[in-house]
Amino acid sequence: MALTAITGAQIFDGEKITGVHTVVIDGGRIARVGGDAPQDSEIVDGSGATLLPGLIDAHVHSAPGSLALALRFGVTTELEMQGMNTRENRGAIAGDDSLADVRSSGFAITPPGGHPSELMPEGFRPKWDLPPVMPLMPFSSTPAEAAAFVPQLLARGSDFIKFMIDDGSVEGHPGLPSLDQATVNAGVAEAKKYGALTVAHALTAEATRMAAEAGIDGVTHVFMDQPHTAEIIGIVKDAGMFVIPCITLNASMMGITGSELADDPRVAARLDSEWDRTLRSSYNRYPQGKLDEVYATVHALDAAGVDVLAGTDASMAETFFGGLAHGASLHHELQYLVAAGLTPERALRAATATTARRFRLSDRGRIAEGLRADLLLVDGDPTRNVSDTLNTRAVWRRGTRLAA
């Protein structure tokens, strides 16, 4: 494979702007940052543009066509927080450079009848074909059951272990079966024996407290049922947890659609009618929520030094999962993070180096020699105007440039 040299672009390396440098791609890796373009290399002129690591969406649920859609928006890796793309099922994805790469929890530990069952309309059946290996359904109601499922999930190829801590109050289903503290504690303790990363779905402050008490590594939402307090921010910080706020999801839960994003011609050109319709809809399950309170919570977490990661909770092209679309909504999340008070650079870190570090993806998330050549070239300077991330000029996945 011929060398590719991207010249003239300023570099955001996953942490900061480092200036204008030539980046050389050799095969699927970044061979060099800096110096002159090698002779006989293919030159990509990046003048007037910014080169970033490929973006990482830290919270999705895969659906037919979703990995291809994500890549068109420069999202080169998606972290699946419930789904079927565990190691036993994703062999073809790993080698297909027309799709975003993926890591997956498999299915989350939840009680029978627990979240997310309340989100599915009666009789709903997903439209995709079944995977080669059916995923493990780790329904658990006791500490012993949760602990027993952890090694099974890891053996079946889960990259991390997820726990659903949700009583249904935010989704309009109060009294939903939910994991109790002892069950979460037991599952997390078992995961730690294997060195496995753990995450928890937690939409309320109380669920967040439970996750912290259990020693969870990170929560996949920010609570939306009450304003933050210094106490709860301190609990999250002292626990060393990361937070994936998914402000896009919280907004959708409040009835805020993604119509403004869908109207952006940079987005509209990449969505089909089903995803456009989904983006223009919303969950609308918690209209009493206050987006300003969510902003304030995210700002307080960031100010306290908690690692904030960018994720969306994008799922299927169905209006009852509305307000979200793979790829496009991660750019929306970056805008929401800036609206919450993060600087554009901090928001970009949340979608690159910070997420790679917290999810132990040591081969991506930064522009550095030897790492995967997962790259996004955009016109403008998203460290000043974060919306410039949508000005896609080129995308590379493992050094292969995505066809326009």
Side-chain angles (χ1 to χ4, degrees):
M1 183 181 291
L3 299 178
T4 299
I6 305 166
T7 64
Q10 74 164 348
I11 307 301
F12 175 77
D13 69 356
E15 296 282 354
K16 62 186 180 302
I17 287 288
T18 63
V20 176
H21 302 288
T22 295
V23 173
V24 179
I25 301 171
D26 185 1
R29 299 281 167 177
I30 298 169
R32 195 174 76 225
V33 180
D36 297 327
Q39 289 187 346
D40 301 324
S41 59
E42 177 190 354
I43 303 296
V44 176
D45 182 9
S47 300
T50 301
L51 186 68
L52 308 98
L55 304 178
I56 304 171
D57 189 330
H59 187 152
V60 304
H61 304 278
S62 299
S66 62
L67 294 172
L69 179 60
L71 191 63
R72 290 202 292 275
F73 283 94
V75 177
T76 54
T77 302
E78 291 196 317
L79 304 182
E80 185 180 74
M81 290 296 160
Q82 172 132 309
M84 296 178 282
N85 287 315
T86 52
R87 283 191 304 276
E88 60 189 359
N89 282 326
R90 66 167 181 256
I93 294 169
D96 188 342
D97 292 323
S98 69
L99 307 175
D101 199 13
V102 64
R103 297 292 183 272
S104 180
S105 66
F107 276 66
I109 294 175
T110 195
H115 180 80
S117 62
E118 82 285 1
L119 298 180
M120 308 297 177
E122 188 174 352
F124 172 74
R125 293 290 182 271
K127 299 174 182 176
W128 59 77
D129 294 332
L130 295 178
V133 182
M134 285 302 295
L136 181 65
M137 302 294 185
F139 294 121
S140 302
S141 299
T142 68
E145 288 173 343
F149 271 121
V150 168
Q152 296 179 61
L153 287 164
L154 294 172
R156 293 282 299 273
S158 291
D159 297 288
F160 37 90
I161 303 297
K162 185 178 182 183
F163 299 82
M164 298 292 195
I165 311 176
D166 195 329
D167 64 3
S169 56
V170 170
E171 297 91 342
H173 285 262
L176 194 72
S178 183
L179 300 176
D180 63 19
Q181 188 71 64
T183 301
V184 180
N185 290 354
V188 174
E190 187 69 13
K192 287 181 183 295
K193 293 179 184 178
Y194 293 86
L197 189 77
T198 55
V199 297
H201 164 102
L203 280 170
T204 65
E206 179 56 30
T208 304
R209 291 174 190 270
M210 288 177 63
E213 181 176 325
I216 287 280
D217 290 299
V219 287
T220 64
H221 293 279
V222 72
F223 57 87
M224 59 185 298
D225 63 322
Q226 64 181 61
H228 74 275
T229 62
E231 180 192 15
I232 190 65
I233 299 300
I235 287 171
V236 173
K237 177 178 173 58
D238 292 346
M241 293 196 301
F242 59 81
V243 177
I244 310 169
C246 294
I247 303 175
T248 45
L249 181 278
N250 284 10
S252 178
M253 293 287 282
M254 296 172 192
I256 301 169
T257 74
S259 293
E260 185 175 347
L261 183 70
D263 287 338
D264 188 323
R266 299 172 299 178
V267 172
R270 292 179 253 189
L271 297 181
D272 64 19
S273 59
E274 286 191 341
W275 282 112
D276 178 81
R277 184 168 57 252
T278 300
L279 189 55
R280 294 180 186 279
S281 305
S282 73
Y283 276 71
N284 196 27
R285 288 173 173 267
Y286 198 69
Q288 66 268 42
K290 296 178 174 60
L291 192 59
D292 284 345
E293 290 181 359
V294 172
Y295 283 161
T297 300
V298 173
H299 180 69
L301 290 166
D302 179 62
V306 173
D307 280 336
V308 173
L309 280 55
T312 63
D313 209 357
S315 184
M316 292 177 274
E318 300 284 353
T319 55
F320 52 85
F321 292 132
L324 306 165
H326 286 262
S329 290
L330 186 62
H331 297 268
H332 204 189
E333 184 71 11
L334 295 176
Q335 296 170 26
Y336 272 131
L337 290 173
V338 171
L342 275 67
T343 66
E345 276 201 0
R346 291 180 79 82
L348 292 170
R349 285 179 213 154
T352 54
T354 303
T355 294
R357 171 170 54 82
R358 292 305 303 246
F359 275 87
R360 307 171 185 174
L361 301 173
S362 59
D363 63 344
R364 68 197 70 191
R366 293 176 294 120
I367 296 178
E369 293 178 5
L371 299 192
R372 279 172 63 112
D374 290 351
L375 299 165
L376 171 61
L377 185 67
V378 300
D379 290 320
D381 183 357
T383 67
R384 294 181 179 272
N385 177 12
V386 78
S387 175
D388 284 352
T389 57
L390 280 166
N391 297 334
T392 307
R393 190 185 294 190
V395 177
W396 290 264
R397 197 261 205 184
R398 288 195 318 169
T400 298
R401 184 170 180 174
L402 185 66

